[in-house]
Amino acid sequence: MEKKPFLTLPQARQIMQDIPTPFHVYDEQGIRENVRALHKAFCWNKGFKEYFAVKALPNPYILQLLKEEGCGVDCSSFTELMLAEALGFGGDEIIFSSNVTPAEDMRKAYELGGYINLDDATMDDFMADVAGVPETVFCRYNPGGVFTMGESKEGFQVMDNPGDAKYGMTEQQMIDTFKKLAAKGAKQFGIHAFLASNTISNEYYPHLAGILFRLAVRVAQQAGVKIAAINLSGGVGIPYRPEQTANDILVIGEGVRKQFEEILVPAGMGDVKIFTELGRFTTGPFGALVATAIHQKHIYKEYIGLNSCAADLMRPAMYGAYHHITVLGKENAPCTHKYDVTGGLCENNDKFAVDRMLPEIEMGDILYIHDTGAHGSAMGYNYNGKLHCAEVLLCADGSHKLIRRAEKPADYFATLDMSPWGDKLLNK
Ligand SMILES: *Cc1c(COP(=O)(O)O)cnc(C)c1O
């Protein structure tokens, strides 16, 4: 699939008049249209709801526009719950999917009336002790072993390793937990699983749905409980590489519907609600990191240095992840030069791209790093005293809005006790 920026050089320059690079920019219209397609794909299910994984892009303006489109939120920590509360999410608009859960987080989720998704069979007593027993409780499933689905037509294998993952509980533990919770007053139950990440395949969700629907039928019978919802969680991926093909959410929705009608409807469970917690799929392609080429060096390889670094986008350094790069204004220029595109951290893995063929880059060129709309800015950190960059919303009407200012030195120093040395650093 051709990787096309949603921003032109003139648009970037317009934003740069107010907000210097580097910044992440998000495409409001793209996000809205994508969520509408998701809702269309699952409109056959009356109770369908997307709970956006807040960790992917925890910005209130993004959460607000997702709220306007009918989404809820999937939170995993106290501060994510605080953000959800501030935006007016409550009750069945919140799912709390955490692990190694602190007591205060559990209490907060309970107080907000959100759905609580228990990661482990030891968590039901913990929840009851520190918070209470809600009417509906979810449990997270881990089937163990290796999860494979064969190769997609481009030869990308969908594979993950639940047997090695810290999340979820076994089938028997789920049955026992449901029984215990029912005895403590829970009225109905939900099942959740996240078995593979960033899948480029229209088959992942239908395959997962098949596993979870069959599990739901068995568990409902053996525990004697009502299953109200099945949460397919995240994991639907995006084509980071040009040679990958985007998932088709309408095909995915139809695939899940087929499993629903084959498994749940005959079991008398046709009223089960389908939930999703898509982060990457929802906002990933609709964000980009915009940075300026500020240095070049010619040693054993050719390097282009940007005024950004892994503190703004950690995925390449952390996972060796590929992020496509477009030099704005040179979209159609031939890719004749091989570069390592780097940030300025004192870490050799601080490279946005290695051996990447690009048009010839001049100092001052604006580089557009694709697909940073999920797990991009959110993973930012302050190593080397690097400061988080700004976030900008490209609004549907073509205007732009600063939705997170860049960090200042004062933000970085705010948690240090500088009082013996004066407050100079806190004024910068
Ligand atoms: C991270 C996460 C998600 C979102 O995953 P994506 O790959 O962004 O779709 C959803 N649910 C849970 C519990 C998660 O931890």
Side-chain angles (χ1 to χ4, degrees), residues 280-318:
R280 194 185 316 269
F281 177 82
T282 306
T283 54
F286 309 104
L289 173 60
V290 178
T292 305
I294 57 168
H295 288 292
Q296 56 189 318
K297 66 186 286 180
H298 320 281
I299 47 171
Y300 311 102
K301 296 175 88 171
E302 294 294 301
Y303 293 93
I304 296 293
L306 304 186
N307 62 349
S308 178
C309 67
D312 297 326
L313 178 64
M314 208 201 286
R315 298 186 70 259
M318 191 164 174

Side-chain angles (χ1 to χ4, degrees), residues 260-292:
F260 191 93
E261 284 171 359
E262 276 176 27
I263 301 166
L264 288 182
V265 172
M269 294 169 70
D271 60 345
V272 166
K273 298 172 178 164
I274 302 299
F275 294 167
T276 56
E277 300 173 339
L278 296 171
R280 194 185 316 269
F281 177 82
T282 306
T283 54
F286 309 104
L289 173 60
V290 178
T292 305

Side-chain angles (χ1 to χ4, degrees), residues 65-359:
L65 76 86
L66 291 171
K67 189 166 193 273
E68 288 164 15
E69 295 295 334
C71 297
V73 280
D74 162 33
C75 301
S76 60
S77 67
F78 192 80
T79 46
E80 287 181 359
L81 288 165
M82 287 174 70
L83 187 56
E85 183 182 25
L87 278 142
F89 289 100
D92 65 3
E93 295 166 333
I94 297 177
I95 282 185
F96 181 58
S97 275
S98 63
N99 67 98
V100 198
T101 313
E104 63 169 347
D105 298 29
M106 187 62 90
R107 265 194 297 274
K108 184 81 181 167
Y110 183 78
E111 280 163 21
L112 292 177
Y115 290 123
I116 292 174
N117 182 25
L118 299 180
D119 182 61
D120 186 69
T122 58
M123 295 300 279
D124 61 333
D125 286 336
F126 173 74
M127 174 180 70
D129 288 349
V130 304
V133 178
E135 203 174 282
T136 308
V137 184
F138 280 71
C139 283
R140 184 166 182 165
Y141 175 56
N142 184 332
V146 173
F147 179 84
T148 52
M149 281 176 20
E151 286 184 5
S152 71
K153 53 186 184 303
E154 295 91 5
F156 292 99
Q157 223 207 358
V158 171
M159 201 201 95
D160 228 311
N161 200 348
D164 198 32
K166 66 174 176 172
Y167 308 108
M169 60 183 81
T170 68
E171 178 166 347
Q172 190 57 49
Q173 287 175 328
M174 184 175 287
I175 292 166
D176 296 342
T177 304
F178 282 172
K179 280 187 190 161
K180 268 176 75 184
L181 284 164
K184 286 182 185 171
K187 297 277 184 294
Q188 47 183 21
F189 296 88
I191 294 176
H192 169 283
F194 190 156
L195 301 188
S197 193
N198 191 31
T199 57
I200 301 288
S201 163
N202 291 332
E203 293 307 311
Y204 169 66
Y205 251 14
H207 189 90
L208 172 68
I211 292 172
L212 295 187
F213 294 170
R214 280 186 288 272
L215 172 74
V217 173
R218 291 195 300 274
V219 164
Q221 273 168 5
Q222 290 184 36
V225 297
K226 173 157 180 62
I227 303 295
I230 292 176
N231 185 343
L232 301 175
S233 187
V236 176
I238 59 170
Y240 285 99
R241 293 172 179 272
E243 64 269 27
Q244 292 174 317
T245 307
N247 289 319
D248 184 335
I249 198 65
L250 294 177
V251 172
I252 291 174
E254 269 309 298
V256 175
R257 186 225 281 259
K258 206 161 151 264
Q259 298 291 329
F260 191 93
E261 284 171 359
E262 276 176 27
I263 301 166
L264 288 182
V265 172
M269 294 169 70
D271 60 345
V272 166
K273 298 172 178 164
I274 302 299
F275 294 167
T276 56
E277 300 173 339
L278 296 171
R280 194 185 316 269
F281 177 82
T282 306
T283 54
F286 309 104
L289 173 60
V290 178
T292 305
I294 57 168
H295 288 292
Q296 56 189 318
K297 66 186 286 180
H298 320 281
I299 47 171
Y300 311 102
K301 296 175 88 171
E302 294 294 301
Y303 293 93
I304 296 293
L306 304 186
N307 62 349
S308 178
C309 67
D312 297 326
L313 178 64
M314 208 201 286
R315 298 186 70 259
M318 191 164 174
Y319 314 116
Y322 180 97
H323 278 263
H324 199 67
I325 296 178
T326 299
V327 184
L328 292 181
K330 298 184 178 174
E331 286 82 353
N332 299 314
C335 293
T336 49
H337 285 61
K338 190 194 268 189
Y339 294 115
D340 281 14
V341 180
T342 79
L345 281 188
C346 302
E347 281 273 13
N348 194 41
N349 65 1
D350 185 18
K351 294 179 176 174
F352 293 110
V354 175
D355 295 335
R356 185 73 57 86
M357 295 307 296
L358 290 166

Side-chain angles (χ1 to χ4, degrees), residues 7-42:
L7 195 74
T8 61
L9 182 59
Q11 281 177 305
R13 291 227 183 275
Q14 184 127 37
I15 295 172
M16 287 162 63
Q17 288 184 357
D18 307 331
I19 304 151
T21 63
F23 53 79
H24 288 273
V25 56
Y26 308 115
D27 174 13
E28 174 182 1
Q29 190 65 26
I31 294 172
R32 286 188 187 274
E33 283 170 10
N34 193 38
V35 171
R36 285 171 199 169
L38 172 66
H39 282 140
K40 192 167 162 217
F42 284 92

